[in-house]
Amino acid sequence: SGNAAYNVCYKSESLVGWVISHIHLLIFFTGHLTARSDVYSFGVVLLEILTGKRSVDKSRPSGEHNLVEWARPYFSEKKKVFRLIDPRLAHYSEKGAYKGAQLAFQCLSRDPRARPTMHDVVETLGQIQNLKDITDNPHYQPTPDSRSSRASRA
């Protein structure tokens, strides 16, 4: 239980550091924060959730360090979008994943005026939450943790 508390604190500190670094980048590039820059930041978080990857990761191959720039070409076609989905997800809503990826792409628009409002983001997330078309992930790659938890449930 002490270890769990350490993990929570460590993850919280990591998240705070991530948020602060994103805020610094937004201020550096734009000179100020706006509601539209908040939407962009949310798009980054949503992309991290969909892909299971960090927004910046120098351990990935060259050209893949920046998650947003790496993912942009995948948004061009519906079939490509599903290659973004975290392979550790065994089942997910196909419509929800696609709508979530579209939402992330809109939030990550280079033109702040083209980004949705946070109200629109919340409405879209509500629609996604209600989808029931759960499908198997064709790229599913179980982790050692998921195998042991599945075996213990059997």
Side-chain angles (χ1 to χ4, degrees), residues 45-66:
V45 172
L46 183 56
L47 188 58
E48 287 180 318
I49 292 168
L50 288 168
T51 63
K53 299 178 185 290
R54 293 181 178 174
S55 61
V56 177
D57 187 347
K58 298 289 184 184
S59 69
R60 290 196 304 253
S62 179
E64 295 182 23
H65 294 173
N66 180 309

Side-chain angles (χ1 to χ4, degrees), residues 89-121:
L89 293 175
H91 313 285
Y92 60 90
S93 163
E94 195 170 285
K95 289 178 187 172
Y98 185 68
K99 281 185 85 116
Q102 284 182 313
L103 179 61
F105 183 63
Q106 292 169 349
C107 291
L108 297 169
S109 173
R110 289 184 174 111
D111 178 3
R113 295 169 301 206
R115 295 176 196 151
T117 65
M118 199 48 112
H119 175 70
D120 293 337
V121 167

Side-chain angles (χ1 to χ4, degrees), residues 17 52 63 65 83 85 88 96 111 122 125 130 136 140 145 147:
H65 294 173
R83 292 186 207 154
I85 304 302
R88 294 170 294 181
D111 178 3
V122 170
L125 291 173
N130 294 325
D136 292 337
Y140 176 58
D145 292 342
R147 286 185 196 126

Side-chain angles (χ1 to χ4, degrees), residues 23-62:
I23 290 171
H24 287 160
L25 283 173
L26 288 166
I27 292 171
F28 177 77
F29 286 115
T30 66
H32 60 282
L33 292 172
T34 66
R36 298 295 179 162
S37 59
D38 287 348
V39 169
Y40 183 93
S41 294
F42 179 78
V44 174
V45 172
L46 183 56
L47 188 58
E48 287 180 318
I49 292 168
L50 288 168
T51 63
K53 299 178 185 290
R54 293 181 178 174
S55 61
V56 177
D57 187 347
K58 298 289 184 184
S59 69
R60 290 196 304 253
S62 179

Side-chain angles (χ1 to χ4, degrees), residues 2-3 19 25 36 44-46 63 66 72 75-77 79 82 84 87 98 110 118-119 127 129 133 137 143 145 148:
N3 192 16
V19 169
L25 283 173
R36 298 295 179 162
V44 174
V45 172
L46 183 56
N66 180 309
R72 282 192 194 281
F75 292 122
S76 63
E77 295 176 37
K79 288 181 182 179
F82 293 105
L84 289 173
Y98 185 68
R110 289 184 174 111
M118 199 48 112
H119 175 70
Q127 294 167 6
Q129 182 179 2
D133 66 310
N137 184 347
T143 61
D145 292 342
S148 62

